[in-house]
Amino acid sequence: MAVEPGIAGDQAGGAGDAESGGTRAFGRSRACFEELITTLADPEGGRLTHARMEEQLTALSRELVRTLHQDSLDLRTAREQRRSPVTGSDRVRRGIVEPGHDRGLATVFGEVTVTRMAYRRRGVPNLYPADAVLNLPVVKHSHGLARLAAVEAPRGSFEEAAAAITRATGARAGKRQLEQLAIAVAAGVDAYYAAHRPAPAASDVLLVMSYDGKGIVMRPGALREATAKAAARAGRKLATRLSPGEKNGRKRMAELGCVYDCAPVPRTAADIIARPARNPGQPRPARAAPAAAGKWLTSSITSDIPAVIAAGFAEADRRDPARER
């Protein structure tokens, strides 16, 4: 990808030259901002309704932020310094350096291009130290889009999640890409909780365990063996659809477990059965409700109930080995 002339020499000059060159790197962003101002100042813009102006500003501001992001990445490219031979996790040194390697990155602002140096050696994959500095994902979609996919995917279908992300950011992601992002995020849940285990609380704080299950409609090939046999024996009352209440042989239980700390909030009889208020229009002051802290969650659609409960008890024993809470 081409980089604006004059930026590559920033490192050779003094601090003032570098600052000036860094400022010049955002010429496209300035032009984009001026275009936005020109659009708003146009007399024809005075005829726009509020809703139409809002739509126009949304599109123009997204492009402005995307351009700022791209200019910032290009400035990083110009300032990237050649390193000494780089050794990868495979313990192979790569001494050949080749600039100008591009990769696309889909972000919440739109798609940008990252250009960086490649460290090469025949017969082994290239290394890109700049990717590690930026903490770039292996896939094309940014961590911001992956976070949105993790938030939106559980709320409904992947098509609905894609539509929600497009409404919020303007970025378009296909159903398959969202599925892959959601799977990748879910794969890190166990590692996240393993690295963020809450510390044991004081002895006067309750340690609470809660378990539940939720039936999820599955494809026939994903049913447990016993459920699949029951489904094979069951007869359908209607040929084209299920009759009301007919769900046997179609679901698999997702087991859920939660362990958390909770400071006791004692209640009195007056909290449960209080005298009628003298002034019905004046609400009684609300008492503080118990608040959960240090939550640890687990869920599985592959493990059975005993395994999930055992995992919850293992976490509780870690926090309270003597089982005093």
Side-chain angles (χ1 to χ4, degrees):
M1 179 178 179
V3 181
E4 287 192 24
I7 303 176
D10 289 350
Q11 295 291 336
D17 294 338
E19 182 65 26
S20 175
T23 303
R24 289 197 304 272
F26 292 88
R28 288 173 298 185
S29 299
R30 287 194 176 88
C32 188
F33 183 67
E34 290 296 332
E35 180 183 354
L36 192 154
I37 293 177
T38 301
T39 301
L40 293 177
D42 190 337
E44 292 295 326
R47 301 178 182 178
L48 296 177
T49 64
H50 166 70
R52 184 71 183 94
M53 183 181 295
E54 195 172 38
E55 292 175 2
Q56 196 172 60
L57 278 174
T58 298
L60 291 173
S61 60
R62 283 174 179 164
E63 177 57 21
L64 172 61
V65 177
R66 190 204 66 80
T67 305
L68 281 167
H69 194 184
Q70 183 64 70
D71 285 347
S72 176
L73 291 172
D74 289 349
L75 183 58
R76 282 174 174 259
T77 300
R79 289 176 171 173
E80 184 180 6
Q81 297 294 302
R82 177 169 178 163
R83 302 165 183 258
S84 57
V86 173
T87 302
S89 58
D90 54 5
R91 302 191 181 280
V92 177
R93 288 166 56 90
R94 294 158 174 83
I96 302 174
V97 182
E98 188 173 282
H101 280 236
D102 295 344
R103 62 154 290 178
L105 181 65
T107 75
V108 294
F109 314 121
E111 189 164 337
V112 294
T113 302
V114 183
T115 306
R116 68 275 200 242
M117 294 180 180
Y119 290 75
R120 310 184 63 184
R121 181 168 179 169
R122 186 184 298 274
V124 295
N126 295 345
L127 289 182
Y128 303 95
D131 288 7
V133 174
L134 284 167
N135 191 28
L136 293 181
V138 177
V139 297
K140 181 178 180 180
H141 296 84
S142 70
H143 296 305
L145 282 178
R147 186 181 299 110
L148 285 176
V151 171
E152 297 296 340
R155 296 179 176 176
S157 66
F158 285 110
E159 289 87 351
E160 293 170 339
I165 292 174
T166 300
R167 286 194 302 270
T169 68
R172 297 186 179 277
K175 175 184 174 182
R176 184 179 298 276
Q177 285 75 26
L178 281 180
E179 289 178 354
Q180 294 170 347
L181 288 174
I183 291 172
V185 171
V189 170
D190 290 339
Y192 173 85
Y193 278 107
H196 295 79
R197 292 187 180 275
S203 59
D204 59 343
V205 176
L206 297 177
L207 183 61
V208 184
M209 290 182 287
S210 178
Y211 299 93
D212 200 356
K214 172 63 178 176
I216 301 176
V217 177
M218 307 293 291
R219 292 182 176 180
L223 294 172
R224 298 184 191 274
E225 183 179 357
T227 308
K229 290 180 179 179
R233 293 193 302 267
R236 296 283 294 273
K237 298 179 181 179
L238 300 176
T240 58
R241 62 181 177 86
L242 294 175
S243 60
E246 187 179 7
K247 299 179 180 179
N248 291 337
R250 300 179 63 239
K251 291 188 175 183
R252 185 168 182 163
M253 293 298 292
E255 311 300 339
L256 312 172
C258 180
V259 180
Y260 60 92
D261 302 316
C262 185
V265 180
R267 295 194 298 173
T268 65
D271 295 327
I272 303 171
I273 304 176
R275 293 181 179 180
R278 294 183 179 180
N279 185 358
Q282 182 178 1
R284 296 187 181 89
R287 289 175 57 86
K295 288 188 289 186
W296 175 91
L297 304 172
T298 185
S299 64
S300 178
I301 199 171
T302 56
S303 301
D304 55 12
I305 295 175
V308 173
I309 292 178
F313 269 88
E315 171 62 16
D317 285 337
R318 184 192 68 83
R319 298 197 202 184
D320 183 23
R323 299 191 176 183
E324 297 175 345
R325 297 166 50 200

